[in-house]
């Protein structure tokens, strides 16, 4: 680092995004993107909006927020639109966590949580998952801290039932509970239905996975109107025009064709089931995923070696180096053609 870098960030370890290599054509199963393109109306909406780029975007995202509220059965005042769900997570950490309200999240979960905590100088506790990588809901009941739960969890793909989420909310009435639902559309139940019942609930979702817009950067938060007002205070103190014009119109068009995207999610869930069976047949242990990826390991080959052997053969998956999960690889679910290539490649590696 340079001699000018602030001491307050001297020990900050940044988040490591999934690799995006350009050296060859890969079957890309490492960053949980959708294998399906945006709907035609999204492309048309973006093309039409290009002529208006000389104008700022609507900081209130009025049309987009209204459409999303309609689709999710909430009021516009309960919605915050953001530049990718990471932004609302950062806003929420800034707004609802501090020395008096430290953070708590699982030891194996989305890697950005400790980064945002360190960035904002917020103390945090990591609660170990159980031996089977599930969350013990009792660990979070009455804990009296700002709670963050990825549901489904990443990178395991496992999820809690809504009854467990509600138990955590009910036993922590004086603390915000952030439920990160980036992968909820692939088979889990959303906590959006609980926002009118619990004023301490913030649900975070994204258009990146289920709505084929990872490159557009669009996310949202849904919660009590006062929570959303707090988040808007942070937003308007950092970047009022955080959602650009092209992304906003793309989001509206995607919501107008929601059935197309939800059908894609069902296809991905079917492809996931096929992949789990195929990997199990090859001797893999595969966790029970409700996301658009699976977390798998083999007792016949080291996790790092499997990742490397797949990569040299043109198939990218995500490997994590944390000791507890180093034997696993996270595999994004793509098209059936992509999953067949993955399985055939693994078979050749194991035969070798």
């Amino acid at each position: 680092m340079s001699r000018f870098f602030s001491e307050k960030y001297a020990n900050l370890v940044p988040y490591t995004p999934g690799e995006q290599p350009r050296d060859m054509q890969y079957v890309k199963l490492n960053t949980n993107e959708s294998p399906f393109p945006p709907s035609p109306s999204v492309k048309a909406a973006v093309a039409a909006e290009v002529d208006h780029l000389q104008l700022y975007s609507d900081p209130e995202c009025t049309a987009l927020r209204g459409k999303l509220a309609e689709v999710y059965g909430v009021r516009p005042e309960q919605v915050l639109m953001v530049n990718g769900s990471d932004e609302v997570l950062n806003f929420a950490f800034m707004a609802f966590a501090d020395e008096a309200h430290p953070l708590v999240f699982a030891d194996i979960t989305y890697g950005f949580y400790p980064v945002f905590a360190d960035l904002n100088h917020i103390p945090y506790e990591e609660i170990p998952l159980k031996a089977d990588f599930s969350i013990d809901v009792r660990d979070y009941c009455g804990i009296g801290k700002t709670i963050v739960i990825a549901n489904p969890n990443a990178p395991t793909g496992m999820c809690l039932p809504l009854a467990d989420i509600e138990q955590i909310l009910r036993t922590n009435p004086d603390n915000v509970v952030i439920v990160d639902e980036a992968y909820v559309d692939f088979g889990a139940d959303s906590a959006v239905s609980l926002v009118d019942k619990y004023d301490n609930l913030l649900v975070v979702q994204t258009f990146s996975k289920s709505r084929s817009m990872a490159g557009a950067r669009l996310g949202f938060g849904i919660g009590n109107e006062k929570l959303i007002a707090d988040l808007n205070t942070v937003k308007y103190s950092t970047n009022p025009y955080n959602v650009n014009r092209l992304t906003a119109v793309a989001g509206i068009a995607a919501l107008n064709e929601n059935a197309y995207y939800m059908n894609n999610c069902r296809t991905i869930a079917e492809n996931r089931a096929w992949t789990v069976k195929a990997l199990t047949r090859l001797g893999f242990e595969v966790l029970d995923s409700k996301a658009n990826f699976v977390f798998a390991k083999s007792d016949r080959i080291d996790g790092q070696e499997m990742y490397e052997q797949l990569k040299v053969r043109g198939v990218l998956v995500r490997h994590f180096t944390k000791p507890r999960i180093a034997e696993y690889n996270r595999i994004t679910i793509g098209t059936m053609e992509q999953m067949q290539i993955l399985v055939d490649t693994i078979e050749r590696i194991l035969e070798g």
Side-chain angles (χ1 to χ4, degrees):
M1 67 183 68
S2 79
R3 60 191 177 91
F4 305 105
F5 195 57
S6 173
E7 280 295 321
K8 65 183 177 182
Y9 297 128
N11 297 318
L12 187 63
V13 178
Y15 175 73
T16 303
E19 58 186 323
Q20 305 280 353
R22 300 287 189 266
D23 58 316
M24 62 180 283
Q25 186 70 39
Y26 289 93
V27 176
K28 197 167 179 299
L29 305 175
N30 68 320
T31 49
N32 300 339
E33 297 144 321
S34 174
F36 302 110
S39 58
S41 66
V42 167
K43 301 174 189 178
V46 170
E49 192 65 23
V50 168
D51 288 339
H52 304 293
L53 286 182
Q54 76 276 20
L55 303 174
Y56 281 112
S57 58
D58 173 13
E60 296 184 6
C61 297
T62 307
L64 174 58
R65 201 160 43 95
K67 183 62 185 179
L68 190 136
E70 175 189 323
V71 169
Y72 282 82
V74 297
R75 298 180 296 281
E77 297 76 22
Q78 295 176 298
V79 177
L80 175 74
M81 305 306 307
V82 288
N83 188 326
S85 60
D86 289 335
E87 185 172 59
V88 73
L89 289 170
N90 192 28
F91 287 172
F93 281 27
M94 295 168 69
F96 307 126
D98 51 33
E99 290 282 346
H101 306 87
L103 287 159
V104 61
F105 42 80
D107 65 332
I108 304 297
T109 191
Y110 184 32
F112 232 138
Y113 300 159
V115 177
F116 282 143
D118 288 338
L119 178 68
N120 294 298
H121 305 288
I122 301 166
Y124 63 89
E125 174 189 355
E126 293 180 308
I127 297 180
L129 297 177
K130 293 194 291 186
D132 64 357
F133 293 108
S134 65
I135 288 175
D136 189 336
V137 67
R138 294 170 298 182
D139 289 337
Y140 296 84
C141 289
I143 198 167
K145 299 178 180 180
T146 301
I147 297 168
V148 191
I149 294 178
N151 202 45
N153 196 14
T156 67
M158 300 172 70
C159 69
L160 288 175
L162 271 188
D164 285 354
I165 297 292
E166 189 163 9
Q167 186 177 354
I168 293 169
L169 286 161
R170 189 172 57 249
T171 59
N172 292 280
D174 299 322
N175 296 89
V176 172
V177 178
I178 304 164
V179 182
D180 184 355
E181 296 185 344
Y183 303 100
V184 73
D185 291 327
F186 300 101
D189 293 324
S190 174
V192 168
S193 61
L194 301 176
V195 295
D196 282 330
K197 189 173 181 180
Y198 297 96
D199 66 357
N200 59 329
L201 169 63
L202 176 67
V203 179
V204 177
Q205 289 195 28
T206 178
F207 280 59
S208 293
K209 320 298 182 183
S210 58
R211 292 191 175 90
S212 306
M213 283 176 57
R217 313 308 303 132
L218 183 61
F220 58 95
I222 297 179
N224 177 270
E225 293 178 20
K226 291 183 179 180
L227 284 188
I228 297 302
D230 293 339
L231 293 172
N232 269 310
T233 296
V234 176
K235 168 190 163 176
Y236 282 93
S237 301
T238 52
N239 184 14
Y241 303 103
N242 60 335
V243 178
N244 70 71
R245 297 184 71 95
L246 302 184
T247 295
V249 296
I252 294 169
L255 290 167
N256 281 329
E257 290 194 275
N258 204 46
Y260 164 80
Y261 296 99
M262 295 305 103
N263 185 61
N264 287 346
C265 291
R266 286 188 288 272
T267 299
I268 289 170
E270 292 167 2
N271 296 353
R272 181 183 66 211
W274 181 90
T275 303
V276 169
K277 285 184 179 179
L279 291 176
T280 303
R281 176 175 54 82
L282 293 174
F284 279 77
E285 175 187 319
V286 187
L287 300 188
D288 182 20
S289 173
K290 298 299 182 184
N292 68 335
F293 57 82
V294 293
F295 206 46
K297 73 170 183 176
S298 169
D299 59 7
R300 297 170 60 187
I301 185 170
D302 173 77
Q304 177 75 28
E305 184 181 356
M306 174 60 79
Y307 155 75
E308 292 173 351
Q309 291 290 331
L310 284 169
K311 185 175 180 179
V312 298
R313 290 166 173 80
V315 179
L316 276 181
V317 297
R318 185 79 187 265
H319 182 72
F320 299 90
T321 58
K322 267 192 172 183
R324 194 174 174 194
I325 56 174
E327 291 304 310
Y328 288 81
N329 283 295
R330 193 193 68 191
I331 304 167
T332 302
I333 302 300
T335 64
M336 270 306 303
E337 178 185 9
Q338 290 175 315
M339 305 323 292
Q340 187 69 64
I341 292 171
L342 167 80
V343 171
D344 291 345
T345 306
I346 289 176
E347 284 185 320
R348 290 196 296 272
I349 291 170
L350 295 177
E351 288 168 2

